[in-house]
Amino acid sequence: MEHTMNGTAPVVLVVDDEQVGLDMLSRFSRQLGFEVVACSSGSDAMQRLRERKADVALVDLHVPEVGGLGVLEAIRQAHPRCQAILMTGVASVESAIEAVKLGAMDYMSKPIDLRRLEHLLVSVRDDLACRRELHAVEADVARRLEFHGMVGRSPVMQQLFGTVRRLAPHLRSALVTGARGTGKELVARALHAAGTRHARPLVVVDCGGVHQAGLETELFGCAPGACHATEGRPGLLESADGGVVFLDDVGELSLGVQGRLLRVVEFGELRRVGSLDLHRIDVQVIAGTEKKLENDVSAGRFRSDLYSRLTSVQIALPPLRDRREDIPYLTAHFVRECAARLEKPIRGVTTEAEALLVSSAWEGNVRELRSVIERACLLADGEFVTDWEIGLGLPPGHRAPSPLPAGNGEDHLLSTVEREHILRALQRVGGNKKAAARMLGVSRRALYRRLERLDLGATIARRKRAGAFLGE
Ligand SMILES: Nc1ncnc2c1ncn2[C@@H]1O[C@H](COP(=O)(O)OP(=O)(O)OP(=O)(O)O)[C@@H](O)[C@H]1O
Ligand SMILES: [Mg+2]
């Protein structure tokens, strides 16, 4: 069976200056399902490597021009994942060692043992298929855990994604409820993105914290001569015409503004402040609130007709403490974002840091989690953010128990063990802190911090003076 260039066949680069060998290896590889790139010289191979990504390479050590080792080096530079197999007529140990250093997967002497070669090529081919499948599965999982910028794997969040997906195309108005920082605005954005108006504007308005009179003209615009403007101007609702408007903190709207808003939602009519003219307007209104609006309705602070209009669709976001299983995924998401923005090689958080994150209170919900991680990433100096950096961002009451609490026997024992461990490492490397950090698997700064926390500075200085670190 011969596989053609369909983009999914694995690619083998064959480099051999003997035409017979080149033909034979090419045929053999094709039969195993590979797409073949055949080259008869080193420079030819270098050229082809620039155009085509190879998954595996069969390279004759003694090809003209750059030579087999040169080709290997070029492969390692251009396609680090490419597996290379070096072939030679005169097996020499030195070049074999050199080849392995350059990342060769194997070394074969000519005449090639075809059974062994088959075994190697098949394992590369199957590995690749396996990796592709794994990537597809991972991408699928990531897709399911991420929905229009929202991350969540807890059953409530998965269900919420489903609800948004189903309702968005049919939406007229909606109410999104949840404590501060739970992601209300993100839900509004997802409803917009998954709905029929995704190509039209989404206008976000924060109704709290703004003077209501100012908000009224901001939202509805004003007539010429009104609100200190000689010319009339449109409001935010008009600028969202045909699209979606998200009114966060809708419970803060005055009854007057609520009345105007009801006309917009109910009849598609808008009247600018100070004008009697009615404009036709078509906006989808999504409202957000952290309050229990029904209480405001019973107290007469919120119009019940507007309330029932908005609650035709209601989406409730639970606080983060009720969906702690989301925390590791949110964390990974925020760390990835921060690492990219800060151009730092941070890959994740340590197990201890994750445990601390998962067990914290999160009064400020996801927004607080995000800022704690952002701050920790700024401070972090290795591949992993530690519980130390995380702890700094948490409110004092929510930090993990300090490692040196007075009078706690077990913790005291722990810090004693840690002290001994660090001192032993220092001893082993003659007091060199950089080397000790490497040995302990922590960054130098992390080691310094531990030394400080465990109050080891004086002990070390004393031991150094006494020559205790020398001679090991
Ligand atoms: N599920 C989530 N996945 C990823 N990021 C999230 C999620 N939920 C919230 N965030 C992030 O948390 C922060 C707060 O989210 P958002 O502004 O949507 O919350 P909110 O409920 O509108 O808050 P507030 O009531 O304070 O206005 C944002 O930075 C947002 O990106
Ligand atoms: Mg908000």
Side-chain angles (χ1 to χ4, degrees):
M1 177 185 52
E2 187 148 315
H3 288 241
T4 47
M5 276 178 62
N6 56 12
T8 56
V11 178
V12 59
L13 176 81
V14 185
V15 194
D16 196 338
D17 58 332
E18 282 174 50
Q19 195 59 42
V20 184
L22 191 63
D23 289 344
M24 189 275 291
L25 288 169
S26 301
R27 213 168 35 246
F28 189 75
S29 309
R30 267 193 212 104
Q31 277 165 358
L32 291 174
F34 282 83
E35 180 194 327
V36 177
V37 178
C39 313
S40 52
S41 74
S43 57
D44 187 16
M46 309 282 255
Q47 175 64 34
R48 302 292 291 276
L49 272 171
R50 268 179 234 126
E51 305 156 356
R52 196 78 177 87
K53 186 167 167 289
D55 300 301
V56 58
L58 302 175
V59 184
D60 184 22
L61 181 62
H62 298 289
V63 286
E65 293 146 14
V66 276
L69 290 180
V71 175
L72 274 193
E73 178 67 49
I75 290 174
R76 201 181 55 160
Q77 297 280 335
H79 314 299
R81 299 192 85 141
C82 176
Q83 311 259 27
I85 300 162
L86 205 65
M87 310 173 293
T88 179
V90 274
S92 81
V93 181
E94 291 81 49
S95 44
I97 291 172
E98 205 45 46
V100 171
K101 272 201 218 145
L102 287 171
M105 169 195 186
D106 212 324
Y107 189 86
M108 301 181 105
S109 52
K110 286 184 171 179
I112 300 292
D113 175 350
L114 287 179
R115 286 187 45 173
R116 226 182 108 217
L117 181 63
E118 175 173 353
H119 186 74
L120 279 168
L121 287 177
V122 165
S123 82
V124 167
R125 185 191 70 194
D126 293 351
D127 261 12
L128 204 70
C130 203
R131 217 163 49 221
R132 282 201 181 128
E133 202 167 308
L134 209 63
H135 272 158
V137 171
E138 276 174 0
D140 185 46
V141 169
R143 249 198 313 281
R144 274 191 290 136
L145 296 182
E146 227 182 302
F147 180 70
H148 295 293
M150 302 190 80
V151 174
R153 88 152 302 169
S154 56
V156 270
M157 290 307 281
Q158 287 286 310
Q159 209 173 1
L160 188 143
F161 295 170
T163 307
V164 169
R165 197 181 288 121
R166 267 195 320 280
L167 293 180
H170 315 290
L171 205 69
R172 292 184 57 197
S173 48
L175 182 69
V176 187
T177 62
R180 70 196 153 92
T182 45
K184 296 185 291 293
E185 186 173 328
L186 274 191
V187 169
R189 289 186 183 281
L191 282 167
H192 172 250
T196 52
R197 300 177 174 219
H198 56 88
R200 310 286 306 160
L202 167 75
V203 174
V204 176
V205 186
D206 190 356
C207 306
V210 191
H211 193 257
Q212 287 298 306
L215 184 64
E216 190 166 15
T217 54
E218 183 116 354
L219 278 175
F220 298 91
C222 47
C227 31
H228 315 291
T230 37
E231 285 177 35
R233 60 179 161 84
L236 289 170
L237 286 165
E238 275 181 73
S239 69
D241 200 5
V244 182
V245 61
F246 175 55
L247 301 175
D248 206 355
D249 263 340
V250 76
E252 301 303 310
L253 291 181
S254 68
L255 284 165
V257 174
Q258 289 174 31
R260 277 183 188 277
L261 184 62
L262 181 68
R263 289 209 76 83
V264 172
V265 183
E266 186 88 29
F267 305 112
E269 289 175 359
L270 177 136
R271 191 172 273 147
R272 290 186 182 177
V273 175
S275 164
L276 292 176
D277 299 338
L278 281 178
H279 287 256
R280 295 296 312 163
I281 183 164
D282 168 30
V283 283
Q284 218 171 54
V285 174
I286 303 173
T289 183
E290 55 174 283
K291 300 208 281 188
K292 280 209 175 312
L293 268 191
E294 50 271 38
N295 295 344
D296 293 61
V297 172
S298 353
R301 281 190 304 266
F302 202 86
R303 292 182 66 130
S304 60
D305 42 10
L306 180 60
Y307 178 74
S308 47
R309 204 358 110 215
L310 293 175
T311 47
S312 59
V313 167
Q314 200 170 154
I315 295 175
L317 281 160
L320 189 55
R321 64 172 178 279
D322 291 347
R323 45 177 163 120
R324 293 191 188 271
E325 62 267 58
D326 286 344
I327 293 175
Y329 297 89
L330 286 164
T331 300
H333 175 75
F334 295 142
V335 166
R336 225 175 12 248
E337 258 181 18
C338 288
R341 195 172 53 245
L342 301 170
E343 294 181 11
K344 282 187 165 189
I346 308 173
R347 293 201 294 155
V349 304
T350 62
T351 323
E352 295 80 12
E354 186 171 298
L356 181 55
L357 286 166
V358 170
S359 65
S360 289
W362 303 122
E363 303 280 343
N365 293 297
V366 187
R367 173 173 293 115
E368 187 189 4
L369 173 64
R370 179 185 202 143
S371 63
V372 165
I373 290 175
E374 277 172 353
R375 185 161 160 197
C377 284
L378 274 173
L379 295 169
D381 58 1
E383 287 194 338
F384 292 92
V385 175
T386 71
D387 49 337
W388 185 81
E389 287 108 8
I390 296 290
L392 282 182
L394 294 173
H398 302 297
R399 274 180 214 157
S402 144
L404 264 180
N408 181 326
E410 201 175 329
D411 277 331
H412 183 68
L413 183 68
L414 258 182
S415 54
T416 310
V417 171
E418 198 176 4
R419 286 165 73 101
E420 287 312 311
H421 189 54
I422 291 175
L423 285 172
R424 214 160 20 220
L426 277 164
Q427 186 96 32
R428 296 259 300 268
V429 295
N432 180 328
K433 287 181 191 145
K434 189 171 167 186
R438 200 176 318 123
M439 177 182 268
L440 291 164
V442 300
S443 69
R444 192 141 53 116
R445 269 174 55 190
L447 176 63
Y448 277 110
R449 283 195 298 262
R450 288 217 169 86
L451 294 179
E452 199 173 305
R453 198 185 68 205
L454 297 168
D455 212 10
L456 273 174
T459 313
I460 291 168
R462 208 164 42 242
R463 290 199 184 183
K464 264 200 171 145
R465 272 199 306 278
F469 288 132
L470 305 173
E472 269 263 319

